[in-house]
mmCIF file of all heavy atoms in Angstrom:
data_model
loop_
_atom_site.group_PDB
_atom_site.id
_atom_site.type_symbol
_atom_site.label_atom_id
_atom_site.label_comp_id
_atom_site.label_asym_id
_atom_site.label_seq_id
_atom_site.Cartn_x
_atom_site.Cartn_y
_atom_site.Cartn_z
ATOM 1 N N VAL A 1150 0.142 -7.456 -10.022
ATOM 2 C CA VAL A 1150 -0.411 -7.465 -8.689
ATOM 3 C C VAL A 1150 -0.558 -6.057 -8.284
ATOM 4 O O VAL A 1150 0.411 -5.183 -8.320
ATOM 5 C CB VAL A 1150 0.447 -8.257 -7.707
ATOM 6 C CG1 VAL A 1150 -0.184 -8.175 -6.270
ATOM 7 C CG2 VAL A 1150 0.557 -9.731 -8.125
ATOM 8 N N TYR A 1151 -1.775 -5.645 -7.873
ATOM 9 C CA TYR A 1151 -2.002 -4.304 -7.408
ATOM 10 C C TYR A 1151 -2.022 -4.221 -5.890
ATOM 11 O O TYR A 1151 -2.708 -4.994 -5.229
ATOM 12 C CB TYR A 1151 -3.305 -3.809 -7.995
ATOM 13 C CG TYR A 1151 -3.232 -3.473 -9.467
ATOM 14 C CD1 TYR A 1151 -3.111 -4.416 -10.455
ATOM 15 C CD2 TYR A 1151 -3.318 -2.141 -9.855
ATOM 16 C CE1 TYR A 1151 -2.955 -4.116 -11.780
ATOM 17 C CE2 TYR A 1151 -3.256 -1.819 -11.194
ATOM 18 C CZ TYR A 1151 -3.058 -2.804 -12.178
ATOM 19 O OH TYR A 1151 -2.920 -2.468 -13.496
ATOM 20 N N TYR A 1152 -1.309 -3.304 -5.377
ATOM 21 C CA TYR A 1152 -1.156 -3.074 -3.896
ATOM 22 C C TYR A 1152 -1.703 -1.750 -3.460
ATOM 23 O O TYR A 1152 -1.457 -0.730 -4.066
ATOM 24 C CB TYR A 1152 0.298 -3.106 -3.518
ATOM 25 C CG TYR A 1152 0.994 -4.447 -3.832
ATOM 26 C CD1 TYR A 1152 1.641 -4.611 -5.020
ATOM 27 C CD2 TYR A 1152 1.013 -5.479 -2.883
ATOM 28 C CE1 TYR A 1152 2.319 -5.860 -5.328
ATOM 29 C CE2 TYR A 1152 1.674 -6.664 -3.151
ATOM 30 C CZ TYR A 1152 2.323 -6.843 -4.381
ATOM 31 O OH TYR A 1152 2.985 -8.018 -4.646
ATOM 32 N N CYS A 1153 -2.475 -1.776 -2.410
ATOM 33 C CA CYS A 1153 -2.914 -0.585 -1.704
ATOM 34 C C CYS A 1153 -1.841 -0.055 -0.820
ATOM 35 O O CYS A 1153 -1.178 -0.838 -0.109
ATOM 36 C CB CYS A 1153 -4.156 -0.916 -0.896
ATOM 37 S SG CYS A 1153 -4.905 0.515 -0.033
ATOM 38 N N ASN A 1154 -1.649 1.261 -0.771
ATOM 39 C CA ASN A 1154 -0.709 1.894 0.061
ATOM 40 C C ASN A 1154 -1.335 3.049 0.846
ATOM 41 O O ASN A 1154 -2.183 3.722 0.315
ATOM 42 C CB ASN A 1154 0.455 2.411 -0.756
ATOM 43 C CG ASN A 1154 1.403 3.337 0.010
ATOM 44 O OD1 ASN A 1154 1.385 4.548 -0.152
ATOM 45 N ND2 ASN A 1154 2.263 2.690 0.808
ATOM 46 N N VAL A 1155 -0.937 3.164 2.080
ATOM 47 C CA VAL A 1155 -1.448 4.235 2.961
ATOM 48 C C VAL A 1155 -0.312 4.979 3.608
ATOM 49 O O VAL A 1155 0.604 4.389 4.220
ATOM 50 C CB VAL A 1155 -2.402 3.656 4.009
ATOM 51 C CG1 VAL A 1155 -2.893 4.837 4.910
ATOM 52 C CG2 VAL A 1155 -3.634 2.994 3.386
ATOM 53 N N VAL A 1156 -0.365 6.263 3.545
ATOM 54 C CA VAL A 1156 0.543 7.167 4.296
ATOM 55 C C VAL A 1156 -0.232 7.788 5.426
ATOM 56 O O VAL A 1156 -1.248 8.364 5.257
ATOM 57 C CB VAL A 1156 1.091 8.295 3.342
ATOM 58 C CG1 VAL A 1156 2.020 9.279 4.150
ATOM 59 C CG2 VAL A 1156 1.843 7.698 2.180
ATOM 60 N N TRP A 1157 0.369 7.596 6.621
ATOM 61 C CA TRP A 1157 -0.434 7.918 7.821
ATOM 62 C C TRP A 1157 0.497 8.228 8.984
ATOM 63 O O TRP A 1157 1.724 8.125 8.940
ATOM 64 C CB TRP A 1157 -1.397 6.792 8.174
ATOM 65 C CG TRP A 1157 -0.719 5.497 8.524
ATOM 66 C CD1 TRP A 1157 -0.140 4.612 7.693
ATOM 67 C CD2 TRP A 1157 -0.638 4.945 9.848
ATOM 68 N NE1 TRP A 1157 0.379 3.504 8.390
ATOM 69 C CE2 TRP A 1157 0.066 3.730 9.733
ATOM 70 C CE3 TRP A 1157 -0.998 5.364 11.110
ATOM 71 C CZ2 TRP A 1157 0.390 2.922 10.824
ATOM 72 C CZ3 TRP A 1157 -0.726 4.598 12.205
ATOM 73 C CH2 TRP A 1157 -0.040 3.368 12.037
ATOM 74 N N GLY A 1158 -0.114 8.525 10.115
ATOM 75 C CA GLY A 1158 0.572 8.701 11.363
ATOM 76 C C GLY A 1158 1.051 10.069 11.666
ATOM 77 O O GLY A 1158 0.740 11.032 10.961
ATOM 78 N N LEU A 1159 1.796 10.152 12.726
ATOM 79 C CA LEU A 1159 2.426 11.461 13.071
ATOM 80 C C LEU A 1159 3.312 11.969 11.976
ATOM 81 O O LEU A 1159 4.217 11.274 11.483
ATOM 82 C CB LEU A 1159 3.228 11.380 14.398
ATOM 83 C CG LEU A 1159 2.341 11.018 15.643
ATOM 84 C CD1 LEU A 1159 3.281 10.818 16.806
ATOM 85 C CD2 LEU A 1159 1.317 12.048 15.863
ATOM 86 N N ALA A 1160 3.067 13.181 11.567
ATOM 87 C CA ALA A 1160 3.875 13.825 10.482
ATOM 88 C C ALA A 1160 3.846 12.996 9.221
ATOM 89 O O ALA A 1160 4.732 13.101 8.419
ATOM 90 C CB ALA A 1160 5.260 14.121 10.917
ATOM 91 N N ALA A 1161 2.827 12.097 9.059
ATOM 92 C CA ALA A 1161 2.669 11.297 7.859
ATOM 93 C C ALA A 1161 3.930 10.471 7.571
ATOM 94 O O ALA A 1161 4.374 10.300 6.477
ATOM 95 C CB ALA A 1161 2.346 12.085 6.652
ATOM 96 N N ARG A 1162 4.510 9.909 8.674
ATOM 97 C CA ARG A 1162 5.795 9.165 8.530
ATOM 98 C C ARG A 1162 5.565 7.696 8.393
ATOM 99 O O ARG A 1162 6.527 6.952 8.055
ATOM 100 C CB ARG A 1162 6.651 9.444 9.742
ATOM 101 C CG ARG A 1162 7.213 10.910 9.746
ATOM 102 C CD ARG A 1162 8.067 11.117 10.967
ATOM 103 N NE ARG A 1162 7.300 11.179 12.191
ATOM 104 C CZ ARG A 1162 7.750 11.396 13.416
ATOM 105 N NH1 ARG A 1162 9.081 11.663 13.544
ATOM 106 N NH2 ARG A 1162 6.965 11.421 14.476
ATOM 107 N N ALA A 1163 4.376 7.147 8.641
ATOM 108 C CA ALA A 1163 4.078 5.740 8.566
ATOM 109 C C ALA A 1163 3.643 5.333 7.182
ATOM 110 O O ALA A 1163 2.985 6.125 6.464
ATOM 111 C CB ALA A 1163 3.047 5.343 9.631
ATOM 112 N N ARG A 1164 4.019 4.146 6.783
ATOM 113 C CA ARG A 1164 3.635 3.591 5.507
ATOM 114 C C ARG A 1164 3.194 2.157 5.715
ATOM 115 O O ARG A 1164 3.809 1.391 6.417
ATOM 116 C CB ARG A 1164 4.832 3.555 4.533
ATOM 117 C CG ARG A 1164 5.522 4.893 4.332
ATOM 118 C CD ARG A 1164 4.726 5.801 3.434
ATOM 119 N NE ARG A 1164 5.415 7.014 3.070
ATOM 120 C CZ ARG A 1164 5.489 8.098 3.841
ATOM 121 N NH1 ARG A 1164 4.813 8.158 4.997
ATOM 122 N NH2 ARG A 1164 6.166 9.192 3.431
ATOM 123 N N SER A 1165 2.026 1.846 5.070
ATOM 124 C CA SER A 1165 1.490 0.512 5.173
ATOM 125 C C SER A 1165 1.109 -0.022 3.818
ATOM 126 O O SER A 1165 0.757 0.768 2.962
ATOM 127 C CB SER A 1165 0.321 0.413 6.121
ATOM 128 O OG SER A 1165 0.666 0.737 7.445
ATOM 129 N N TRP A 1166 1.173 -1.333 3.638
ATOM 130 C CA TRP A 1166 0.900 -1.938 2.376
ATOM 131 C C TRP A 1166 -0.052 -3.117 2.515
ATOM 132 O O TRP A 1166 -0.029 -3.838 3.541
ATOM 133 C CB TRP A 1166 2.200 -2.506 1.737
ATOM 134 C CG TRP A 1166 3.149 -1.480 1.336
ATOM 135 C CD1 TRP A 1166 4.153 -0.936 2.118
ATOM 136 C CD2 TRP A 1166 3.299 -0.833 0.074
ATOM 137 N NE1 TRP A 1166 4.848 0.026 1.390
ATOM 138 C CE2 TRP A 1166 4.320 0.087 0.152
ATOM 139 C CE3 TRP A 1166 2.589 -0.935 -1.164
ATOM 140 C CZ2 TRP A 1166 4.701 0.915 -0.925
ATOM 141 C CZ3 TRP A 1166 2.913 -0.128 -2.200
ATOM 142 C CH2 TRP A 1166 3.985 0.723 -2.120
ATOM 143 N N GLY A 1167 -0.924 -3.292 1.587
ATOM 144 C CA GLY A 1167 -1.744 -4.478 1.516
ATOM 145 C C GLY A 1167 -1.006 -5.659 0.950
ATOM 146 O O GLY A 1167 0.127 -5.528 0.503
ATOM 147 N N GLN A 1168 -1.661 -6.781 0.878
ATOM 148 C CA GLN A 1168 -0.995 -7.971 0.421
ATOM 149 C C GLN A 1168 -1.112 -8.125 -1.124
ATOM 150 O O GLN A 1168 -0.380 -8.900 -1.735
ATOM 151 C CB GLN A 1168 -1.637 -9.230 1.047
ATOM 152 C CG GLN A 1168 -1.356 -9.331 2.527
ATOM 153 C CD GLN A 1168 0.086 -9.491 2.779
ATOM 154 O OE1 GLN A 1168 0.770 -10.383 2.255
ATOM 155 N NE2 GLN A 1168 0.638 -8.610 3.649
ATOM 156 N N GLY A 1169 -1.927 -7.350 -1.757
ATOM 157 C CA GLY A 1169 -2.035 -7.302 -3.220
ATOM 158 C C GLY A 1169 -3.191 -8.127 -3.717
ATOM 159 O O GLY A 1169 -3.618 -9.094 -3.110
ATOM 160 N N THR A 1170 -3.652 -7.683 -4.879
ATOM 161 C CA THR A 1170 -4.718 -8.422 -5.568
ATOM 162 C C THR A 1170 -4.306 -8.546 -7.054
ATOM 163 O O THR A 1170 -3.864 -7.563 -7.660
ATOM 164 C CB THR A 1170 -6.100 -7.725 -5.427
ATOM 165 O OG1 THR A 1170 -7.099 -8.530 -6.015
ATOM 166 C CG2 THR A 1170 -6.125 -6.323 -5.989
ATOM 167 N N GLN A 1171 -4.434 -9.702 -7.579
ATOM 168 C CA GLN A 1171 -3.990 -9.950 -8.945
ATOM 169 C C GLN A 1171 -5.047 -9.441 -9.997
ATOM 170 O O GLN A 1171 -6.203 -9.714 -9.918
ATOM 171 C CB GLN A 1171 -3.810 -11.488 -9.163
ATOM 172 C CG GLN A 1171 -3.395 -11.837 -10.586
ATOM 173 C CD GLN A 1171 -1.987 -11.459 -10.911
ATOM 174 O OE1 GLN A 1171 -1.062 -11.715 -10.121
ATOM 175 N NE2 GLN A 1171 -1.814 -10.807 -12.085
ATOM 176 N N VAL A 1172 -4.498 -8.726 -10.952
ATOM 177 C CA VAL A 1172 -5.255 -8.285 -12.101
ATOM 178 C C VAL A 1172 -4.650 -8.876 -13.340
ATOM 179 O O VAL A 1172 -3.463 -8.651 -13.635
ATOM 180 C CB VAL A 1172 -5.349 -6.783 -12.212
ATOM 181 C CG1 VAL A 1172 -5.991 -6.358 -13.540
ATOM 182 C CG2 VAL A 1172 -6.079 -6.171 -11.036
ATOM 183 N N THR A 1173 -5.384 -9.629 -14.087
ATOM 184 C CA THR A 1173 -4.889 -10.241 -15.315
ATOM 185 C C THR A 1173 -5.814 -9.823 -16.476
ATOM 186 O O THR A 1173 -6.999 -10.084 -16.400
ATOM 187 C CB THR A 1173 -4.854 -11.767 -15.206
ATOM 188 O OG1 THR A 1173 -4.042 -12.208 -14.089
ATOM 189 C CG2 THR A 1173 -4.307 -12.390 -16.472
ATOM 190 N N VAL A 1174 -5.180 -9.250 -17.463
ATOM 191 C CA VAL A 1174 -5.903 -8.835 -18.641
ATOM 192 C C VAL A 1174 -5.434 -9.676 -19.806
ATOM 193 O O VAL A 1174 -4.319 -9.580 -20.306
ATOM 194 C CB VAL A 1174 -5.665 -7.318 -18.958
ATOM 195 C CG1 VAL A 1174 -6.512 -6.868 -20.128
ATOM 196 C CG2 VAL A 1174 -5.941 -6.476 -17.732
#
């Protein structure tokens, strides 16, 4: 499962995550 991550906010102190998307090979 691949998750998107973002570093943001004042002094880059915030962290957010997506719910994920499945990759199957």
Side-chain angles (χ1 to χ4, degrees):
V1150 177
Y1151 284 70
Y1152 298 90
C1153 180
N1154 170 257
V1155 177
V1156 177
W1157 64 285
L1159 296 176
R1162 290 178 291 183
R1164 305 285 187 274
S1165 294
W1166 295 89
Q1168 293 299 305
T1170 184
Q1171 177 70 47
V1172 172
T1173 302
V1174 185

